[in-house]
Amino acid sequence: MENIIQITKNDIVNEGKKLLDAGAKFVTAVCNDLDEKLEVTYFFSANRGVDLTCLRYTVGKDEEVPSLTGTTLSTLLIENEMKELFGLKVKDLAIDYGGHLMLAHDSPTTPMLKPKKAEAESKGEI
Amino acid sequence: MATRTTVPFGPQHPVLPEPVQLRITYEDEKVVEVVPVIGYGQRGIEKACELNEYNKNIYLCERVCGICSYQHSESVVLATEQLWPLDIPPRTKFLRTIWAEMARTHSHLLWLGLFADAFGYESMFLQFWRIREKVLDILEQTAGHRVIQSVNVVGGVRRDIDEAQKKTVIDTLNVVRRESDDLVNVLINDYTVKSRTVGVGVMTKAQAMALGCVGPTLRGSGVSEDARLTKYSAYGELNYEPIVETAGDCYARMKVRARELFQAIDLQMEALSKLPEGEIAIKVKGGPPANETVARTEAPRGELYYYAKGNGTRHLERMKIRTPTFANLPAVLILLPGCQLADVPVNIHSLDPCISCTER
């Protein structure tokens, strides 16, 4: 993948707004479980959707991160989804589904998180 | 003072074939607020993609949706092939493009019928779906199945199109074009259809961009954007330019899909005429390397986005699927407020929502 710009979590709103103001469109965001941390990548497209730019930051699993929904409602569903499925602590969502956009009240919590590497090793799973 | 009432529109509603809910607050028959609610059928397919061996993800992902199933299988194989990356034979690229446009043809015919049904034009619904059967027949004859084609594999395709099949496809597409032309003319010019759709659910170009819309929903608001411009598969070798309408209302979104129906037929004809000779698949050994990539295809409802991350084993570290309806759903936040309650079904259908995709 090309055009990955590493940022900090505090830069996501400003950097995202810069891209949107320059005519880019928000595409989606992807969360990856890096064992101790979460890696979050926001994808934006420009030039009739042909060119992609990615803003990427890494945060601890207990850290709060800002929401882009104050700038664009297009991130509303995916930020709620990352919050539910990965436990990403997104604050100031324009509409906060309270952990139940996709998951029911009796669903497993944060189902997309992987078992911690150390625990998996001790159980002989890896 | 008017009373505000909040009603659940769905998850079970006659106009919605799939479960999604819109919590609609209205006042004097006019919608003032809406909150979309999904999650009635979430299937955890992204998680399952991590548990499968990579080549089994094709069978899983092409079941994300029954209507744009083909584009899901194309996207998952493109994403997996790009992790190496693999050099796919030219004939394979053309075959994939032909089937992708065939899938768009049947999907748009399906939608045109559903849209007509949304405002009570039931005989037109029947006629569009009658024509669609012909497209499903040629899909079955060439790819092997009507709905879930299962024709893509990592490294190529399972089936070829021979000369006899090529002639059948061309003859059928000519019939589909002629019969669709008659019906689309009625749909586009009918007074009642216009009165239900022109000026209804207007979304400006700036709003469509700000909400991250994709596909005909975006192009109906005057934005010339389409994943086929990235020239994946054989699109770089075909005469292709996105179809755009500028009014941004339900009528414009309908016209985009109606025109794309004929464009999809043209693209199939062109790809068939340029179909190169050669292999249809290459052998693939081992698992995809530790790498990450994005595959983007234009499904009938808009850009389909697959992010794949390999870890050097036969299992993927992560697969993310962003479906077109997931991107178009926030549009209801501006399409519905201000419209009459009776126009809600037409507005929703104008987005061509696919909840099966959204609940991947």
Side-chain angles (χ1 to χ4, degrees):
Chain A
M1 268 179 13
E2 296 171 357
N3 292 338
I4 300 176
I5 302 170
Q6 294 287 346
I7 57 170
T8 66
K9 64 174 185 178
N10 296 323
D11 295 330
I12 185 62
V13 175
N14 281 339
E15 293 298 320
K17 190 171 184 316
K18 269 188 215 168
L19 289 171
L20 293 169
D21 288 347
K25 187 170 72 103
F26 173 72
V27 179
T28 195
V30 176
C31 192
N32 279 323
D33 182 359
L34 305 182
D35 203 30
E36 294 297 327
K37 290 176 178 290
L38 293 174
E39 177 192 74
V40 184
T41 312
Y42 284 75
F43 293 80
F44 296 84
S45 68
N47 183 24
R48 303 176 80 193
V50 174
D51 301 332
L52 276 184
T53 302
C54 316
L55 300 178
R56 175 172 282 176
Y57 65 80
T58 308
V59 285
K61 288 181 174 172
D62 293 328
E63 290 180 53
E64 284 194 328
V65 299
S67 164
L68 255 180
T69 51
T71 306
T72 172
L73 279 174
S74 55
T75 63
L76 177 69
L77 296 181
I78 190 65
E79 286 183 346
N80 269 283
E81 184 181 302
M82 291 192 294
K83 184 176 178 177
E84 283 182 37
L85 303 185
F86 286 89
L88 183 68
K89 298 187 179 351
V90 189
K91 60 178 182 181
D92 301 328
L93 283 158
I95 301 175
D96 190 340
Y97 287 85
H100 299 294
L101 170 72
M102 319 202 86
L103 299 179
H105 288 271
D106 55 354
S107 297
T109 53
T110 60
M112 288 297 287
L113 286 182
K114 295 176 191 297
K116 282 207 166 185
K117 214 173 181 179
E119 287 173 19
E121 275 172 352
S122 68
K123 289 178 186 171
E125 291 172 359
I126 55 174
Chain B
M1 188 179 159
T3 308
R4 283 195 170 199
T5 309
T6 301
V7 293
F9 189 93
Q12 303 299 328
H13 189 280
V15 86
L16 298 168
E18 297 173 284
V20 60
Q21 188 185 68
L22 299 168
R23 286 183 193 148
I24 295 174
T25 304
Y26 67 95
E27 194 178 281
D28 287 344
E29 295 289 313
K30 188 176 271 191
V31 177
V32 290
E33 193 181 276
V34 61
V35 177
V37 182
I38 57 174
Y40 293 98
Q42 222 275 341
R43 290 169 289 165
I45 286 178
E46 289 180 10
K47 184 69 179 174
C49 283
E50 295 171 10
L51 307 175
N52 280 333
E53 289 194 7
Y54 74 91
N55 50 359
K56 291 183 181 166
N57 284 335
I58 304 164
Y59 308 110
L60 184 63
C61 291
E62 64 189 358
R63 282 160 177 80
V64 169
C65 173
I67 307 302
C68 40
S69 165
Y70 182 81
Q71 275 84 1
H72 279 281
S73 77
E74 188 180 19
S75 301
V76 72
V77 295
L78 283 175
T80 314
E81 287 162 358
Q82 285 171 23
L83 286 172
W84 269 276
L86 301 175
D87 193 16
I88 302 304
R91 187 173 178 88
T92 305
K93 293 179 180 178
F94 273 79
L95 289 169
R96 284 178 178 174
T97 304
I98 291 163
W99 283 313
E101 292 306 317
M102 224 178 262
R104 191 181 321 282
T105 307
H106 89 68
S107 177
H108 279 2
L109 284 165
L110 175 138
W111 180 84
L112 286 162
L114 287 176
F115 192 60
D117 190 50
F119 46 74
Y121 212 149
E122 288 177 9
S123 56
M124 184 162 281
F125 160 77
L126 196 71
Q127 292 303 323
F128 273 121
W129 279 43
R130 181 184 58 77
I131 300 172
R132 178 175 175 257
E133 285 297 308
K134 295 180 171 61
V135 186
L136 295 180
D137 287 344
I138 52 171
L139 264 171
E140 185 181 14
Q141 284 171 33
T142 55
H145 296 277
R146 288 158 58 85
V147 180
I148 309 282
Q149 281 80 36
S150 286
V151 75
N152 282 309
V153 290
V154 174
V157 289
R158 289 180 194 279
R159 289 191 174 223
D160 204 346
I161 294 180
D162 62 27
E163 286 303 313
Q165 287 173 328
K166 198 194 272 191
K167 186 180 178 310
T168 308
V169 170
I170 291 170
D171 291 346
T172 307
L173 288 177
N174 280 327
V175 174
V176 169
R177 193 204 315 257
R178 191 178 64 245
E179 293 186 355
S180 301
D181 195 36
D182 293 342
L183 280 183
V184 166
N185 273 334
V186 175
L187 197 63
I188 297 288
N189 298 313
D190 187 272
Y191 170 81
T192 312
V193 174
K194 281 186 178 176
S195 69
R196 290 299 311 272
T197 56
V198 173
V200 174
V202 176
M203 183 161 56
T204 65
K205 188 175 181 174
Q207 286 172 326
M209 286 292 284
L211 288 165
C213 294
V214 295
T217 303
L218 180 67
R219 293 191 285 277
S221 291
V223 183
S224 178
E225 189 181 303
D226 191 310
R228 286 172 285 184
L229 291 170
T230 61
K231 301 180 178 175
Y232 67 92
S233 293
Y235 288 105
E237 295 173 62
L238 301 179
N239 181 23
Y240 174 73
E241 188 60 31
I243 284 170
V244 174
E245 292 284 336
T246 54
D249 55 7
C250 291
Y251 186 71
R253 291 188 279 280
M254 178 185 76
K255 272 181 87 176
V256 169
R257 293 191 183 93
R259 292 173 59 198
E260 282 187 359
L261 166 65
F262 299 108
Q263 185 189 47
I265 294 172
D266 290 342
L267 286 169
Q268 287 167 74
M269 296 288 201
E270 188 183 352
L272 282 166
S273 70
K274 293 179 176 173
L275 188 61
E277 294 298 323
E279 296 293 312
I280 60 166
I282 57 168
K283 282 192 176 174
V284 181
K285 289 180 182 170
N291 196 2
E292 59 179 343
T293 190
V294 162
R296 303 152 71 197
T297 61
E298 189 71 15
R301 290 161 186 79
E303 185 187 52
L304 186 55
Y305 201 91
Y306 270 66
Y307 165 89
K309 185 177 182 184
N311 57 12
T313 72
R314 292 179 70 82
H315 295 267
L316 292 180
E317 185 72 16
R318 175 90 167 100
M319 175 75 90
K320 166 74 193 161
I321 308 168
R322 200 296 313 273
T323 61
T325 302
F326 196 84
N328 284 332
L329 209 51
V332 300
L333 297 172
I334 65 139
L335 279 184
L336 297 187
C339 86
Q340 293 294 310
L341 200 54
D343 286 333
V344 169
V346 175
N347 261 313
I348 293 172
H349 263 299
S350 75
L351 300 177
D352 195 3
C354 178
I355 306 308
S356 178
C357 274
T358 311
E359 304 277 19
R360 75 234 103 91

